Amino acid sequence: MNTLDIGRRRLLQAAGASAALMALPATATPTAGKASATALSGYSRRARAIVERALVIDMLAPLRIDLREDAYAEPLSAGEIADFRRSGITAMHHSWGIEGPDAHSQVLAHMAGWYGLIAHHADLFVLVRGVADLERAKADGKVAVIFGVQNADHFRGVDDVKLFHGMGQRCAQLTYNSQNLIASGSTDRVDGGVSDFGAAIIAGMESTGMLVDVSHCGPRTTLDAIEIARGPIAITHSNCQALLDHPRLKSDEAIRRLAAKGGVMGITGVRMFVTGAEPTTIEHIVDHIDHVARLVGIEHVGIGSDADLYGYDAMPAEQLAQLKAAYKASYGFRDRIDIAGFDHPLKIYDLVEALIRRGYGDADIALVLGGNFRRLLGQVWR
């Protein structure tokens, strides 16, 4: 869901901030980790064992939701580092919505800045270039960072797909919520589908080995992209329109077509994408997992939480107001964005407990946690 207006920040400014960050000690801003108050011993032995064994991939999880232009320039505190390590998450798809006429330069600056934070914490993070990095992160007890962009405005042509892939980008949404040269977004009044230029970008992404994502695309664009693509694509973070009529959610037809080509859909915990009324609980998140599993099979559903370790409601009030103001009224924000039990660093354990209560077996839970996205990424990132 998150969006970021980087403004007119330039690549050299980001690179300078990154260099300054790398010179700072890793414990520059020590704070107590929010997860420390929730001991792992509070979860069942079975849930802990499942997470310990599984490759857990959150296919939309920014490292830090912070709307400041230089959010990457502050090193993680000791408490935050501890929260990442105990979260149980193997890989996080770090992706922001960046759009507009300056998107190319903005994404370059964005990548330079966040790469600085990742490099500064090389003892914690692994920048992903291929699936072997996912396995390596799991073995080493680190967090793999999949770098993506929740838009494709920065692709001025097919050559730019190769450029950004070479720099480490491994996933791109075709659109954010609004129309671009490629296709239409989910909150556009009219969805014209994928343009000729968009079809060329999809072909370029597939030939390069970059995952095509249609999470924020409009309904016709979503179907077009699935049809145009030769191989599987992804809906990294959305939910089921059959359970809730919201413009950001996907129809059963789209989910069936996605699965027919081997794609995977990540389920999100953003409150207004889960239910239309209160109370909203983690059980309602599992309802969406259930729906996809029953519709197309357990092999086509995963997790895309669409939040960092702490959630949106932990943001400073002024930033939260700024975030909400950036979206159309059709997004339907309520008082809270997060869901209790899915708004803290140990949320994966809470989700596993909910899946256990729902009757899922260990092997199927492991597929939902990351096995399905691991299979898809292995096919795409050749």
Side-chain angles (χ1 to χ4, degrees):
M1 183 192 73
N2 44 73
T3 183
L4 181 62
D5 179 9
I6 300 181
R8 299 185 180 278
R9 185 175 65 228
R10 301 188 184 278
L11 176 61
L12 289 178
Q13 291 174 317
S18 298
L21 181 150
M22 293 172 70
L24 293 172
T27 57
T29 55
T31 61
K34 292 192 177 184
S36 60
T38 310
L40 283 175
S41 60
Y43 297 98
S44 70
R45 187 174 301 174
R46 180 182 170 192
R48 283 179 282 146
I50 290 171
V51 175
E52 183 178 348
R53 291 192 303 266
L55 191 71
V56 180
I57 302 174
D58 189 336
M59 275 305 290
L60 203 291
L63 300 182
R64 175 185 282 160
I65 295 179
D66 188 329
L67 300 188
R68 293 175 299 172
E69 287 192 353
D70 60 349
Y72 48 72
E74 181 180 342
L76 300 177
S77 69
E80 289 171 320
I81 291 170
D83 287 346
F84 274 102
R85 292 196 186 281
R86 63 166 62 98
S87 70
I89 300 173
T90 310
M92 300 174 71
H93 177 205
H94 176 80
S95 187
W96 284 92
I98 301 174
E99 55 193 346
D102 297 328
H104 186 271
S105 60
Q106 288 179 10
V107 173
L108 288 174
H110 180 73
M111 294 180 78
W114 286 102
Y115 278 7
L117 180 69
I118 293 166
H120 180 66
H121 293 290
D123 58 333
L124 173 64
F125 295 128
V126 173
L127 182 62
V128 172
R129 290 188 175 271
V131 290
D133 295 319
L134 302 175
E135 313 289 353
R136 179 163 58 93
K138 180 68 175 180
D140 294 346
K142 295 184 177 182
V143 176
V145 180
I146 302 167
F147 211 97
V149 181
Q150 291 193 64
N151 209 329
D153 264 357
H154 58 302
F155 297 154
R156 302 166 301 183
V158 175
D159 286 346
D160 277 340
V161 177
K162 297 179 181 178
L163 169 68
F164 282 96
H165 182 272
M167 294 179 62
Q169 184 181 349
R170 289 298 177 266
C171 181
Q173 284 182 184
L174 298 182
T175 69
Y176 200 56
N177 289 323
S178 301
Q179 180 77 41
N180 61 18
L181 294 177
I182 291 171
S184 300
S186 62
T187 60
D188 280 324
R189 186 176 64 83
V190 176
D191 184 351
V194 176
S195 67
D196 289 346
F197 175 68
I201 292 296
I202 291 172
M205 290 177 67
E206 288 196 291
S207 65
T208 304
M210 188 182 295
L211 181 65
V212 176
D213 182 7
V214 291
S215 295
H216 281 254
C217 293
R220 179 179 172 187
T221 291
T222 297
L223 295 174
D224 274 2
I226 295 168
E227 181 179 354
I228 290 167
R230 297 190 311 273
I233 69 171
I235 299 168
T236 62
H237 59 296
S238 185
N239 284 344
C240 307
Q241 201 169 61
L243 302 185
L244 175 65
D245 187 14
H246 190 288
R248 263 281 282 112
L249 307 190
K250 301 301 179 182
S251 68
D252 283 358
E253 181 184 8
I255 297 168
R256 287 192 185 99
R257 293 192 186 187
L258 179 86
K261 281 194 167 180
V264 180
M265 178 174 176
I267 299 302
T268 172
V270 172
R271 181 176 293 260
M272 63 274 194
F273 302 161
V274 176
T275 65
E278 298 299 341
T280 303
T281 72
I282 199 166
E283 300 296 334
H284 294 107
I285 299 175
V286 180
D287 287 344
H288 289 270
I289 294 173
D290 275 349
H291 185 79
V292 177
R294 291 169 181 166
L295 186 69
V296 295
I298 194 69
E299 300 81 10
H300 300 286
V301 62
I303 304 301
S305 68
D306 199 359
D308 64 9
L309 291 184
Y310 307 109
Y312 291 94
D313 295 323
M315 296 171 68
E318 65 277 8
Q319 285 199 25
L320 190 56
Q322 179 185 349
L323 179 83
K324 291 180 177 181
Y327 294 87
K328 292 183 178 179
S330 59
Y331 249 60
F333 284 103
R334 304 207 289 273
D335 288 343
R336 292 199 64 204
I337 298 177
D338 304 317
I339 295 172
F342 206 66
D343 57 353
H344 59 86
L346 299 181
K347 62 188 173 185
I348 291 299
Y349 291 90
D350 287 85
L351 180 63
V352 170
E353 295 284 22
L355 290 167
I356 290 171
R357 289 193 297 272
R358 197 63 65 95
Y360 283 86
D362 292 12
D364 284 347
I365 293 174
L367 290 178
V368 173
L369 291 182
N372 292 329
F373 272 123
R374 165 63 179 82
R375 182 196 71 247
L376 173 63
L377 297 175
Q379 290 177 259
V380 173
W381 292 348
R382 54 191 182 280

